[in-house]
Amino acid sequence: MTSVVFTNARLINPETGTDSLGWLHAENGHIVALGGGDAPAIVGDVIDCNGKCLAPGIVDIGVKVCEPGERHKESYKSAGLAAAAGGVTTIVTRPDTLPAVDTPETLEFATRRAQADAPVNVLPMAALTKGREGREMTEIGFLQDAGAVAFTDCDHVITNTKVFSRALTYAKSCGALVIAHPQEPGLSKGAAATSGKFAALRGLPAVSPMAERMGLDRDIALLEMTGAAYHADQITTARALPALERAKRNGLDITAGTSIHHLTLNELDVADYRTFFKVKPPLRSEDDRQAVIEAVRTGLIDIISSMHTPQDEESKRLPFEEAASGAVALETFLPAALRLYHAGQLDLPSLFRAMALNPAKRLGLDSGRMEPGAPADLVLFDPDVPFVLDRFALKSKSQNTPFDGQRMQGKVLATYVAGKDVYRRT
């Protein structure tokens, strides 16, 4: 029997919306009890948190681990170490690998590698169509049996609405969650920036924010037709928010996420063609960024994800238009999110509601909560410690982060998975 008591902790409870001093007792991998004031006499290891924050471990939907096919960019071992160092206790992996995770055999290979190498929980998603090509749906039932927690073609938008509607219908019959990337693919093809004055001055191929709205409108219409469970991976523009609000008000089974980069950066950060700031969809205007932050605060946008996308130096050290999209974010996720806390835009329970509780609920997990019976997946962090980020100190194999050299505030002190210490800051 393993028993751990966290004392003198600032408990961040996203379910009750509270931020208060107290204690927490975990035993055999689960939370047994918690409360305010001094901890009762309990037999077990005692960890004095010294007034630092103790919160549910982050559940990160949409992490790319490049096995199989591109292990030089990121492996399950390096991604797991990066996640533990970032307070992420569950990573939900994308199927956009080489080859795509579209068969039970490929899924089982990835699961075995994850179980052998990663110190955190790893839950795989599978492709919705074979090869993510949008022509023929995968064996959703078999993939579910093999452990797939959701189905997505990632940033490959299914253009054939008949194929997509059939996949949604079949997913509903299996009780499966479909995650989609709302974009109108014709308008967004080849875009490297968001249309506007900045993109025009830089001479960058750009896409209108309406492309996101149009993609979401189409998907909502298909949801009305099929009744499937649907999650929009990234809502990044103010134009898409009214459609999302109507869909929720009309009772559709829809949730939405956004990325930490779209919450903390805007199009001007690209500056002189800095390719580490090239993500998909492209960074938006400051007005869009503020609208999305407000949508997270009100709960219209349910989930914040890192959208961790490793890219090697060769794919980033190119002209902006030709450079690969994406940024690593497992280790920078929490300190970047704390920018919103320090700016007074989101409190800590609201942040962890979007980073831990809501993603866990959407996937039907027991984690993401600070309640008796929940897994003791926890992160201990100091929200106030300042530091300058050095990308070469990151544990990811790829170091393509837009936060390199930036002053940040907030560091993970320790991460626990099922009550076991998987990371401790030295």
Side-chain angles (χ1 to χ4, degrees), residues 363-399:
L363 295 172
L365 308 177
D366 292 329
S367 54
R369 298 161 48 236
M370 296 276 276
E371 298 294 337
D377 295 346
L378 303 165
V379 55
L380 178 66
F381 66 98
D382 184 341
D384 299 317
V385 60
F387 68 101
V388 176
L389 184 79
D390 176 8
R391 72 185 184 97
F392 296 107
L394 297 177
K395 299 185 185 302
S396 292
K397 284 191 176 185
S398 299
Q399 281 107 21

Side-chain angles (χ1 to χ4, degrees), residues 284-305:
R284 306 301 193 180
S285 70
E286 180 62 11
D287 288 344
D288 280 328
R289 187 179 81 89
Q290 293 296 334
V292 172
I293 291 172
E294 177 63 14
V296 172
R297 189 190 68 79
T298 62
L300 178 58
I301 289 178
D302 308 86
I303 293 168
I304 305 172
S305 299

Side-chain angles (χ1 to χ4, degrees), residues 223-305:
L223 286 184
E224 290 183 6
M225 186 169 74
T226 62
Y230 172 99
H231 176 72
D233 65 351
Q234 294 185 79
I235 297 296
T236 61
T237 67
R239 294 289 186 96
L241 296 174
L244 176 63
E245 193 277 329
R246 285 195 302 272
K248 287 192 167 189
R249 189 174 66 242
N250 290 338
L252 298 181
D253 190 356
I254 181 172
T255 52
T258 193
S259 89
I260 191 60
H261 297 116
H262 289 93
L263 285 173
T264 55
L265 303 169
N266 67 29
E267 60 187 352
L268 302 181
D269 286 304
V270 171
D272 295 323
Y273 310 102
R274 298 165 69 189
T275 59
F276 280 4
F277 290 82
K278 185 180 181 183
V279 294
K280 187 182 288 187
L283 293 175
R284 306 301 193 180
S285 70
E286 180 62 11
D287 288 344
D288 280 328
R289 187 179 81 89
Q290 293 296 334
V292 172
I293 291 172
E294 177 63 14
V296 172
R297 189 190 68 79
T298 62
L300 178 58
I301 289 178
D302 308 86
I303 293 168
I304 305 172
S305 299

Side-chain angles (χ1 to χ4, degrees), residues 107-118:
L107 185 70
E108 287 165 2
F109 164 82
T111 301
R112 284 197 305 271
R113 290 304 295 259
Q115 290 174 344
D117 294 344

Side-chain angles (χ1 to χ4, degrees), residues 160-177:
N160 187 319
T161 50
K162 183 169 284 189
V163 170
F164 194 25
S165 65
R166 285 174 174 169
L168 287 168
T169 300
Y170 193 77
K172 176 176 172 55
S173 71
C174 296
L177 174 67

